[in-house]
Amino acid sequence: MADSSNDRTSKRRKRSRRHNPDGTMTLIEHIYEFRRRLGFALIALVAGGALGFLWFTNSVGPIPSLGDIVKGPYCAIPPEQRFPREGPCRLLQTVPFEAFMIQLKVGLTAGAVLFAPVWLYQLWAFIAPGLYSKERKYALVFVGFASVLFAAGAVLAYAMVPFALEILVNFGGGAFDTWFTGDKYVSFVLSLLLIFGVSFEVPLLVIMLNRVGVVSYAQLSKWRRGLIFIAFVFAAFVTPADPFSMIALAGALTVLLELSFQITRIHDKRKARRRGEENWDQLADDEPAPFHYTPSTIDDEPGATGGKSRAEDVT
């Protein structure tokens, strides 16, 4: 019994940054740790899917049911353009278990979004032991902003769905009534949410590439017109054949790209000012920089004792 307890304590120490500063593990230990984190993430997804499945047919206080939320854009179509014109607004089921599979698909999607902090934490906990404090800070900022941007894109897409449907159902000069099958309608809505959400991550990618030195503001300023043109072309290809969705996506991407350009401009200005203060630009190509950098360890991180928090200048 004592050996089992000591073994668990040893495993926890291997995963601990304080007891294992380098985050070193054997291949087998990495596999076991990955399996453990993946198991917790899957449990979170299953729990979220179960709640989403129940939410699909049940409202939660003032919050309508998930089924009503998904069906809302379709029901916003004028009744004279829907089929059947009278009675409650419903989607069409054409094969057995189609409604069940739609409820399961939408529930799992909603559960994955609602429980995102849980499974993202498991991903974070798996990679964090191999990162130092500065790297962890950048990773947390990236994940945080990526989640917010994805949610903002999905909300914008949901707001655009009624306008897109209104235009799309008007094709044919009134010769058709609209009665969507549940599977195709839900797939249309979810794909639009995914397209907008992923597209909103592009400006964040630009900022991260600038942070690691791949692109500079000078390069981005030269590419500005081309990147904005590409944003409009991309929006035209990935959105349905309606101007509202295309303009909304392209306009939002243009604003976010311009914001990312200004952030890279501020970053490059600060970087150039630091280089000027340290006179690095005056060094010859074969002349080493006048400092000695010692990689940080756990003792160098905030809150640790006995360490120093920055590199020492030896000149």
Side-chain angles (χ1 to χ4, degrees):
M1 189 72 178
D3 292 340
S4 177
S5 176
N6 291 335
D7 185 55
R8 287 195 298 269
T9 301
S10 176
K11 289 181 178 179
R12 282 197 300 269
R13 289 195 171 195
K14 282 184 176 294
R15 295 190 295 265
S16 169
R17 181 74 165 146
R18 182 169 297 279
H19 295 93
N20 188 11
D22 296 329
T24 55
M25 292 183 185
T26 65
L27 177 61
I28 296 299
E29 289 168 343
H30 274 295
I31 293 175
Y32 285 157
E33 177 68 3
F34 176 76
R35 184 182 65 179
R36 175 172 171 269
R37 295 298 177 183
L38 181 62
F40 287 144
L42 290 176
I43 291 173
L45 290 175
V46 170
L51 290 178
F53 187 86
L54 296 174
W55 181 22
F56 191 92
T57 54
N58 300 278
S59 59
V60 183
I63 304 175
S65 67
L66 191 57
D68 289 338
I69 294 175
V70 173
K71 196 173 57 175
Y74 169 69
C75 294
I77 299 174
E80 61 272 11
Q81 295 178 320
R82 291 199 316 260
F83 184 84
R85 293 183 175 87
E86 299 178 356
C89 174
R90 293 178 179 175
L91 297 171
L92 178 64
Q93 179 178 214
T94 58
V95 295
F97 299 108
E98 183 176 357
F100 173 80
M101 294 305 299
I102 291 172
Q103 185 172 345
L104 182 62
K105 180 195 298 185
V106 176
L108 285 173
T109 303
V113 174
L114 293 176
F115 278 64
V118 180
W119 58 264
L120 282 176
Y121 171 77
Q122 298 304 322
L123 174 63
W124 169 249
F126 178 70
I127 65 174
L131 302 177
Y132 289 105
S133 58
K134 186 176 181 181
E135 296 168 332
R136 291 203 300 271
K137 179 185 72 174
Y138 280 128
L140 281 176
V141 170
F142 180 83
V143 171
F145 276 101
S147 302
V148 172
L149 287 173
F150 186 91
V155 169
L156 179 61
Y158 184 80
M160 289 296 106
V161 169
F163 298 101
L165 291 178
E166 185 176 355
I167 291 178
L168 294 174
V169 300
N170 281 325
F171 286 110
F176 301 94
D177 282 332
T178 300
W179 197 359
F180 291 129
T181 62
D183 181 61
K184 294 197 173 168
Y185 170 75
V186 169
S187 297
F188 168 78
V189 174
L190 293 181
S191 63
L192 201 61
L193 298 182
L194 181 63
I195 287 170
F196 272 69
V198 173
S199 299
F200 270 46
E201 307 295 339
V202 174
L204 184 60
L205 179 62
V206 171
I207 294 174
M208 297 305 293
L209 290 176
N210 173 256
R211 289 281 176 174
V212 298
V214 176
V215 294
S216 64
Y217 172 73
Q219 293 172 315
L220 293 172
S221 62
K222 293 179 182 178
W223 301 340
R224 178 182 275 109
R225 292 183 180 179
L227 291 174
I228 293 175
F229 175 76
I230 291 174
F232 274 86
V233 173
F234 172 76
F237 271 101
V238 300
T239 55
D242 72 286
F244 288 104
S245 299
M246 187 200 76
I247 293 174
L249 179 57
L253 281 178
T254 300
V255 172
L256 290 173
L257 281 173
E258 185 59 35
L259 179 61
S260 67
F261 293 162
Q262 297 308 314
I263 293 175
T264 59
R265 181 177 66 86
I266 295 172
H267 174 261
D268 287 358
K269 276 189 174 181
R270 291 178 177 175
K271 185 177 178 180
R273 184 168 61 248
R274 287 196 302 267
R275 290 178 64 89
E277 292 172 354
E278 296 169 355
N279 294 322
W280 287 6
D281 293 334
Q282 307 300 322
L283 299 176
D285 292 341
D286 58 349
E287 184 179 356
F291 69 90
H292 176 71
Y293 176 73
T294 303
S296 60
T297 65
I298 185 61
D299 294 330
D300 298 329
E301 297 185 2
T305 57
K308 296 182 180 180
S309 60
R310 59 186 177 87
E312 295 181 350
D313 193 29
V314 297
T315 57

